[in-house]
Amino acid sequence: MLTNLAIKNFAIVSFVEIDWHRGMTTITGETGAGKSIAIDALGLCLGDRATTNTVRAGCDKTEISASFDIGKLTAVQKWLKHCELEQDGECIIRRVISKEGRSKGFINGNPVPLAQLKQLGEKLINIHGQHDHQLLLKASEQRQLLDAFASNQPQLEKVQNYYHQYRSLTQEKQQLLASVEQRQAQLQLLQYQVNELDEFGLQADEFEQLENDFKRHANTQQLLQLSSSCLQQLAENEQFSALSLTQQCAEQMSQLSALDSQAAAIAELLNDARIALEEAKNDLSYYQQNIDIDPETYALIETRYNTAMQLARKHQVMPENLFEHHCQLKHELNSINSDDSRLEFIDNELTQCHEQYQQACRALSQKRIKAGKQLALQISKSMQQLNMENARFDVAIRPVDDDKVQPYGNEQIEFVASMNPGQPLEPIHKVASGGELSRISLAIQVILSSKVITPTLIFDEVDVGISGPTAAMVGKQLQALGASTQVICVTHLPQVASRGHQQLFVAKLSDGKHTETKVNQLDRGQREREIARLLAGDVITEHSIANARELLTA
């Protein structure tokens, strides 16, 4: 529940701090004093859009903070924990708006975007404005009210899930059908390209080996010539070969090291060099003997190498990437083939999804029909208590075409009423006046409040257009609601104001140069005088005081 609201430099408010209590709080004040200013500020704190006159004239910024006791609000606690914004037992929301229009939001001291303020605000407070009855004329609003009363959210989610699946499948089918001709032309080209590369059959990493083999066979004579020359210089020239000269040096250094131990390391290096040259001679000899000079093998290698180069140029890829290109073409070909196969199966999936959608819709319809009867009885009773003695209310649920897939089910919801005996039930916008619509809206809000888990309900002058016994009944209903939920009601009716467990008075003060709004909590005596003012106007008499005292003790 809301426990504290602090407002600084907002509109014509310099500074106001309000402590809120459980039960029903009523807010009254003179016309033009700004009775709804605390509600407006609270809405701003919870993410409403700021206007140009938000910041008080002459000030740099507006600051609004609201504190909530969330000790028993598990859903709010879970949300805060999920967002890593939790704080034991309490939640503090703050909004700062500069005169340039820049806005900052905070939850428990952590900066958050405006969207998160709105998400949290929806879990904490539900505000009903004096123009809410106009929404009641919209079919979408009527459907939402019935579903809220019936607690239909799980069934609605099933219907919407199947609706989105069906829409997605339908769009997929349309896309596949639209690209049939394009896919067919692409299929023929890909099939030709893949067949060509399949026939060549280049393997992974084969081109590098093929290129090396081609170079080796193409230069056989040069390889033989160079290897022979190297062998001649390395070992076959007995007098001047590298091996014989190194061996001579190694022998001499061995003799030298026998005379001087400091030369032993040099002798060892020369001996190692001799061994290395001996191994090189043996390897080079083996290499030379195995140089392949088979013309048939060379012809085969040359043909495959040239073919690989031609295919690479044809497909506009580097020859070393030809294998990967082949794999990619096969993948594209398989994708096109799978698209055609997908078309064969998608109709079955659409049929199955449509059946599941219809089943979910039928379950939703059954709940709506049952809840519609209960809601109609309760609203009819409430309307009669609100000075519409002969009124009847009903919820018309009309099925639509079964083949039509909609996100909210297979029926149209319409609120109908009869205001006088003998009159048929007709849509409420045809038979109810503005005042009657306001009372119907209030009745629905009170009835639905028991279905809504929002801990704080605010009614901002929803009692406009009613008076007398009707106002007394509205006050009684709101007071009863306040027994289980925190209710805040901005009103101009004494019958409603007197029903509050506590009462706030809004006054506008001016010294001729500056104007500001103050909000004060009234004690018993102050409440009597304020109720008397609402009853009698500016001239308060003993009779009006007595009437006020009687209302407060009722």
Side-chain angles (χ1 to χ4, degrees), residues 116-183:
Q116 279 195 314
L117 288 183
K118 290 183 178 180
Q119 290 173 11
L120 179 57
E122 290 172 356
K123 299 178 184 299
L124 292 169
I125 286 181
N126 195 348
I127 300 177
H128 301 280
Q130 58 180 301
H131 301 296
D132 277 5
H133 67 275
Q134 297 172 358
L135 292 175
L136 191 60
L137 302 179
K138 295 183 177 181
S140 59
E141 180 72 10
Q142 294 175 8
R143 184 194 67 246
Q144 290 173 18
L145 289 171
L146 175 61
D147 285 332
F149 178 77
S151 302
N152 279 341
Q153 191 58 35
Q155 288 74 23
L156 266 174
E157 288 178 357
K158 282 187 178 180
V159 169
Q160 290 170 357
N161 285 338
Y162 289 128
Y163 164 79
H164 290 303
Q165 287 180 28
Y166 190 86
R167 289 264 300 176
S168 178
L169 287 169
T170 301
Q171 291 173 357
E172 182 184 356
K173 180 180 178 180
Q174 290 172 347
Q175 290 171 357
L176 289 172
L177 289 173
S179 60
V180 165
E181 293 183 2
Q182 180 182 356
R183 287 205 317 277

Side-chain angles (χ1 to χ4, degrees), residues 7-16 37 56 515-517:
I7 310 168
K8 183 178 180 181
N9 299 330
F10 172 61
I12 58 173
V13 173
S14 176
F15 180 77
V16 163
I37 202 159
R56 178 177 169 86
T515 302
E516 64 176 280
T517 293

Side-chain angles (χ1 to χ4, degrees), residues 447-463:
I447 291 168
L448 288 180
S449 295
S450 62
K451 295 283 184 178
V452 178
I453 60 173
T454 307
T456 300
L457 295 172
I458 296 177
F459 296 92
D460 188 5
E461 297 201 53
V462 295
D463 50 14

Side-chain angles (χ1 to χ4, degrees), residues 382-428:
S382 184
M383 288 170 67
Q384 291 159 11
Q385 292 173 341
L386 293 174
N387 202 25
M388 293 179 278
E389 294 84 356
N390 299 310
R392 287 188 302 129
F393 182 91
D394 201 1
V395 180
I397 302 177
R398 302 183 181 91
V400 297
D401 187 355
D402 283 349
D403 291 332
K404 190 174 183 181
V405 177
Q406 302 180 114
Y408 302 106
N410 263 356
E411 58 260 327
Q412 292 179 339
I413 311 297
E414 188 171 36
F415 289 176
V416 295
S418 169
M419 308 307 295
N420 299 295
Q423 287 186 338
L425 292 167
E426 294 189 67
I428 55 175

Side-chain angles (χ1 to χ4, degrees), residues 33 64-65 68 72 91 121 151 191 206 215 326 357 392 441 459 473:
I64 306 167
S65 65
F68 297 84
K72 297 180 181 180
C91 176
S151 302
Q191 190 67 65
E206 181 188 350
K215 289 180 179 179
H326 184 196
Y357 168 81
R392 287 188 302 129
S441 175
F459 296 92
M473 180 54 67

Side-chain angles (χ1 to χ4, degrees), residues 158-290:
K158 282 187 178 180
V159 169
Q160 290 170 357
N161 285 338
Y162 289 128
Y163 164 79
H164 290 303
Q165 287 180 28
Y166 190 86
R167 289 264 300 176
S168 178
L169 287 169
T170 301
Q171 291 173 357
E172 182 184 356
K173 180 180 178 180
Q174 290 172 347
Q175 290 171 357
L176 289 172
L177 289 173
S179 60
V180 165
E181 293 183 2
Q182 180 182 356
R183 287 205 317 277
Q184 195 61 37
Q186 189 178 7
L187 178 65
Q188 293 176 356
L189 175 61
L190 282 173
Q191 190 67 65
Y192 170 78
Q193 292 175 325
V194 169
N195 288 342
E196 182 180 49
L197 292 173
D198 282 345
E199 184 178 350
F200 183 58
L202 187 70
Q203 301 302 307
D205 301 324
E206 181 188 350
F207 181 78
E208 288 77 4
Q209 182 62 45
L210 184 63
E211 185 176 38
N212 187 62
D213 290 345
F214 173 76
K215 289 180 179 179
R216 185 162 53 85
H217 282 82
N219 296 282
T220 301
Q221 294 302 322
Q222 188 176 2
L223 293 176
L224 286 170
Q225 180 181 351
L226 289 173
S227 60
S228 296
S229 176
C230 284
L231 274 173
Q232 181 71 20
Q233 296 177 54
L234 183 61
E236 292 182 356
N237 189 327
E238 294 182 359
Q239 294 183 351
F240 299 105
S241 67
L243 184 58
S244 63
L245 291 174
T246 303
Q247 187 168 356
Q248 290 175 22
C249 287
E251 291 173 354
Q252 292 172 2
M253 284 304 301
S254 178
Q255 295 173 8
L256 192 153
S257 62
L259 301 174
D260 185 356
S261 62
Q262 293 184 5
I266 302 172
E268 185 177 355
L269 287 173
L270 282 170
N271 189 55
D272 291 342
R274 178 189 62 78
I275 294 172
L277 287 173
E278 184 72 33
E279 292 177 352
K281 180 203 75 168
N282 294 334
D283 289 347
L284 182 55
S285 178
Y286 178 81
Y287 169 79
Q288 184 187 48
Q289 293 171 11
N290 286 277

